[in-house]
């Protein structure tokens, strides 16, 4: 049958406007080859030095040219995607899927319209339409520049591999370092792989999470922190002359393998301000080439015993795991517990150098009018607290009320003359009732000034003016409670600050 050359108009959504022309052909019904079709319909052209060729064929049994054209377009695009070599699965990232869908849409647009190319390097160069037995078949021939096509292939393969690599690359790196005994470097990679698997939709994501976090936990459980020293003695407000240290190693197949470069969290305590409450501070150090973690404690500002602990610090690596779905949290908590269990503790014992200096204490209590009281609740509580910390104290054989009759200078001169050979220092105070409130029980407020003075040069070593309240069933009991609390509170500040 003679071939007739025609052009096609757009017909509905998805109609194909062929870039060059369409050959309309028909032949007698039968199953043989189409003798009047172009060679490329029977056999796709081989790639040459510049192009790769793709053929799409689509048939519509009802004779709809639009449907056949759409089917041919889809077939050609599928052929191109197969060549690129990517497949949308649960492993695919949303970005990869979106980019692939956009690329396919651009290919469709390229097939459907004439004029400027939408996809660089791709074009439709021929087409053929065959009608037979009421059915219509459309064939499309496209060519793609090799350089442009290969670039798309590299781009999409990288995109589709990204989500898998987010898990597999750190997992493989962590396993390699673990097998090489580089445990400090292996641990962050294993936890990175677990975190990536925990938010991934790749195949076997939960299994991959379990494998990596289990190996990380087993690694942590093999780590031992062994203190180098159990106790260090120091002096108040003086540099600690020795570093705290722990030997860190992994127990593996009966061997103790030192771990270098491991982050170690150090927890220690210090006082807030002058004699304030104790608070916990933390610092991070790293093990050296021999697996030893060393920590130089800040100058202590308190008196007494305090713990210094060292433990594995996985805070940076474990943070991404904390936001994972609930089904993973039991394993994350087990990992954190294993890290906490590595802890070792040492003691810092801080003494005040002031404790060794012979010291006299004289404290006078007064009522609200400034009259001396016979009670010694403040002085007794103050002395008891200092004696408990090893202070060398002596009670003066002069009455406390003398402080009401002498100025500071007169009192210190008296002390220097009469007691200069017996004591190096004197701590004295005048405290009084400052407030009485009996609206709900009896509440008494007391306060005063405490001073520690070097008798030889009259230099004031430390001075405070605290105040405090006490409650009691009557005025007397409330005063006693307030004065005792005042003495104890003042002593704590002296212990933590007196040089």
């Amino acid at each position: 049958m003679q071939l007739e050359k025609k052009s096609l108009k757009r017909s509905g959504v998805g109609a194909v406007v062929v870039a060059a022309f369409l050959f309309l052909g028909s032949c007698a019904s039968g199953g043989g080859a189409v003798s009047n079709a172009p060679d490329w319909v029977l056999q796709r052209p081989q790639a040459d030095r510049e192009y790769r060729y793709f053929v799409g064929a689509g048939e519509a049994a009802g004779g709809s040219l639009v449907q056949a054209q759409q089917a041919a377009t889809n077939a050609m695009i599928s052929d191109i995607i197969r060549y690129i070599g990517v497949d949308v699965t649960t492993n695919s990232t949303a970005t990869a899927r979106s980019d692939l869908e956009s690329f396919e849409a651009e290919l469709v647009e390229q097939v459907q319209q004439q004029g400027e190319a939408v996809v660089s390097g791709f074009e439709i160069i021929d087409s053929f339409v065959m009608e037979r037995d009421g059915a219509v078949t459309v064939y499309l021939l496209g060519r793609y520049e090799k350089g442009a096509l290969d670039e798309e292939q590299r781009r999409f393969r990288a995109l589709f591999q990204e989500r898998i690599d987010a898990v597999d690359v750190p997992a493989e790196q962590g396993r390699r370092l673990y097998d090489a005994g580089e445990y400090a470097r292996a641990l962050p990679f294993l936890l990175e792989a677990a975190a990536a698997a925990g938010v991934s939709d790749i195949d076997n994501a939960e299994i991959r999470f379990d494998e990596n976090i289990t190996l990380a936990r087993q690694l942590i459980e093999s780590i031992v922190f062994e203190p180098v020293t159990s106790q260090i003695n120091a002096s108040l407000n003086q540099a600690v002359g020795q570093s705290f240290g722990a030997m860190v190693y992994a127990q593996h197949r009966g061997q103790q393998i030192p771990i270098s470069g491991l982050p170690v969290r150090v927890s220690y305590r210090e006082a807030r301000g002058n004699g304030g409450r104790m608070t916990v501070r933390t610092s991070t150090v790293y093990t050296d080439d021999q697996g030893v973690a060393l920590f130089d404690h800040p100058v202590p500002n308190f008196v007494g015993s305090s713990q210094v602990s060292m433990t594995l610090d996985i805070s940076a690596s474990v943070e991404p795991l904390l936001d994972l779905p609930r089904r993973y949290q039991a394993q994350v908590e087990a990992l954190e517990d294993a890290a906490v269990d590595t802890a070792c503790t040492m003691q810092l014992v801080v003494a005040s150098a002031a404790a060794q200096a012979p010291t006299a204490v004289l404290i006078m209590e007064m009522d609200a009018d400034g009259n001396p009281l016979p009670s010694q609740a403040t002085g007794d509580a103050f002395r008891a607290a200092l004696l408990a910390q090893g202070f060398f104290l002596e009670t003066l054989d002069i009455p406390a009320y003398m402080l009401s009759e002498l100025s500071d200078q007169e009192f210190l001169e008296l002390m220097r003359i009469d007691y200069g050979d017996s004591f190096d220092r004197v701590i004295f105070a005048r405290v009084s009732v400052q407030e009485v409130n009996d609206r709900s029980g009896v509440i008494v407020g007391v306060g005063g000034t405490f001073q520690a003075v070097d008798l030889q040069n009259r230099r004031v070593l430390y001075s405070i003016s605290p105040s405090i309240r006490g409650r009691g069933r009557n005025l007397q009991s409330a005063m006693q409670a307030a004065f005792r609390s005042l003495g104890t509170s003042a002593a704590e500040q002296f212990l933590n600050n007196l040089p």
Side-chain angles (χ1 to χ4, degrees):
M1 185 175 182
Q2 185 180 1
L3 296 177
E4 184 179 4
K5 178 176 167 182
K6 296 183 178 179
S7 63
L8 295 180
K9 297 180 179 180
R10 292 182 185 269
S11 177
V13 178
V16 178
V17 177
V18 178
F21 51 81
L22 290 176
F23 287 99
L24 295 179
S26 62
C27 64
S29 61
V34 183
S35 59
N36 61 349
D39 291 342
W40 60 265
V41 170
L42 304 176
Q43 183 175 2
R44 183 172 65 180
Q46 295 294 317
D48 54 34
R49 295 180 60 183
E50 190 173 358
Y51 297 103
R52 292 190 183 278
Y53 297 91
F54 299 91
V55 175
E59 180 181 10
S64 171
L65 182 60
V66 172
Q67 292 179 2
Q69 291 166 349
Q70 187 65 54
T73 301
N74 293 339
M76 174 176 285
I77 293 173
S78 295
D79 198 18
I80 295 172
I81 298 303
R82 278 194 299 273
Y83 175 82
I84 289 176
V86 295
D87 185 24
V88 176
T89 67
T90 56
N91 294 343
S92 306
T93 65
T95 299
R97 294 174 184 174
S98 176
D99 278 23
L100 184 61
E101 290 171 0
S102 297
F103 178 65
E104 291 174 339
E106 290 170 353
L107 288 173
V108 170
E109 186 177 357
Q110 179 78 11
V111 175
Q112 289 179 344
Q113 72 177 24
Q114 296 180 8
E116 185 177 350
V118 177
V119 178
S120 176
F122 172 70
E123 61 179 334
I124 299 296
I125 59 174
D126 205 353
S127 58
F128 178 75
V129 177
M130 183 181 70
E131 293 178 324
R132 184 173 57 182
D133 299 334
V136 61
T137 304
V138 173
Y139 297 89
L140 300 175
L141 174 63
R143 69 181 184 185
Y144 216 131
E145 290 181 5
K146 281 185 174 180
L149 182 60
D150 291 346
E151 179 61 31
E152 294 291 356
Q153 185 182 60
R154 287 190 291 270
R155 180 172 74 91
F156 278 110
R157 287 186 176 179
L159 281 172
F160 276 77
Q161 188 65 25
E162 181 180 357
R163 179 62 64 89
I164 299 174
D165 286 349
V167 178
D168 287 353
V169 170
E172 292 170 3
Q173 181 79 336
R175 170 64 72 171
R176 183 184 65 80
L177 292 169
Y178 177 83
D179 291 339
E182 298 186 48
Y183 301 123
R185 295 179 59 199
L187 187 57
F189 283 109
L190 294 173
L191 295 181
E192 178 185 346
V199 296
S200 179
D201 57 2
I202 64 175
D203 295 333
N204 300 319
E206 293 191 15
I207 294 175
R208 297 183 189 206
F209 171 85
D210 183 71
E211 289 175 348
N212 285 284
I213 202 166
T214 298
L215 182 57
R217 190 186 70 249
Q218 290 173 349
L219 190 162
I220 292 173
E221 290 173 344
S222 73
I223 295 177
V224 176
F225 278 66
E226 190 172 288
V228 174
T229 55
S230 59
Q231 179 176 308
I232 293 178
N233 296 318
S235 296
L236 175 68
N237 296 327
Q238 295 184 23
V240 179
Q242 185 179 354
S243 297
F244 286 91
M247 177 68 191
V248 184
Y249 57 86
Q251 293 179 317
H252 185 68
R253 296 177 181 176
Q255 294 182 314
Q256 295 181 352
I257 304 173
I259 306 177
S260 62
L262 193 71
V264 175
R265 184 173 67 250
V266 183
S267 299
Y268 61 97
R269 303 184 74 191
E270 66 179 19
R272 294 180 180 176
N274 292 329
R277 291 184 177 180
M278 299 293 286
T279 186
V280 176
R281 303 293 187 193
T282 60
S283 180
T284 298
V285 298
Y286 292 84
T287 54
D288 61 19
D289 292 342
Q290 286 72 47
V292 177
L294 295 175
F295 172 67
D296 293 325
H297 196 290
V299 173
N301 63 350
F302 64 93
V303 172
S305 179
S306 176
Q307 278 192 348
V308 175
S309 68
M310 290 187 176
T311 186
L312 174 64
D313 185 359
I314 61 171
S315 56
S317 297
V318 83
E319 185 173 353
L321 296 167
L322 301 178
D323 295 327
L324 294 182
R326 181 175 297 179
R327 64 181 180 275
Y328 296 122
Q329 290 307 312
Q331 289 167 283
V332 175
E333 291 174 4
L335 181 86
E336 293 181 300
D337 290 343
V340 171
D341 289 342
T342 63
C344 71
T345 59
M346 294 153 277
Q347 295 291 324
L348 174 67
V349 179
V350 182
S352 172
Q356 307 306 314
T359 304
V361 175
L362 188 65
I363 298 175
M364 179 184 66
E365 296 176 356
M366 296 177 289
D367 62 20
D369 296 323
N371 300 313
L373 296 172
S375 60
Q376 288 291 314
T378 307
D380 291 344
F382 186 89
R383 293 186 190 90
L386 267 60
L387 288 170
Q389 294 299 326
F391 268 66
F392 176 35
L393 300 180
E394 289 289 345
T395 302
L396 292 171
D397 57 358
I398 59 176
Y401 68 80
M402 285 188 64
L403 288 174
S404 65
E405 300 175 353
L406 301 174
S407 67
D408 287 356
Q409 294 302 319
E410 291 172 336
F411 172 71
L412 291 174
E413 181 63 18
L414 173 66
M415 291 293 299
R416 188 184 67 80
I417 294 173
D418 293 348
Y419 299 98
D421 295 334
S422 303
F423 303 109
D424 295 336
R425 300 173 171 185
V426 60
I427 299 174
F428 66 99
R430 300 179 181 89
V431 298
S432 63
V433 174
Q434 298 177 340
E435 174 191 2
V436 177
N437 187 331
D438 59 0
R439 285 177 294 183
S440 56
V442 179
I443 298 175
V444 173
V446 297
T449 298
F450 293 71
Q451 296 184 70
V453 179
D454 187 313
L455 285 179
Q456 301 306 313
N457 55 27
R458 298 187 185 181
R459 181 170 64 92
V460 176
L461 302 172
Y462 185 62
S463 176
I464 57 173
S465 297
S467 60
I468 204 164
R469 289 179 175 181
R471 181 189 296 271
R473 290 175 295 181
N474 52 50
L475 178 60
Q476 187 64 27
S477 63
M479 287 174 53
Q480 291 294 307
F483 280 130
R484 281 195 301 271
S485 296
L486 182 65
T488 300
S489 177
E492 289 177 355
Q493 296 184 60
F494 270 77
L495 286 171
N496 289 329
N497 296 279
L498 182 62

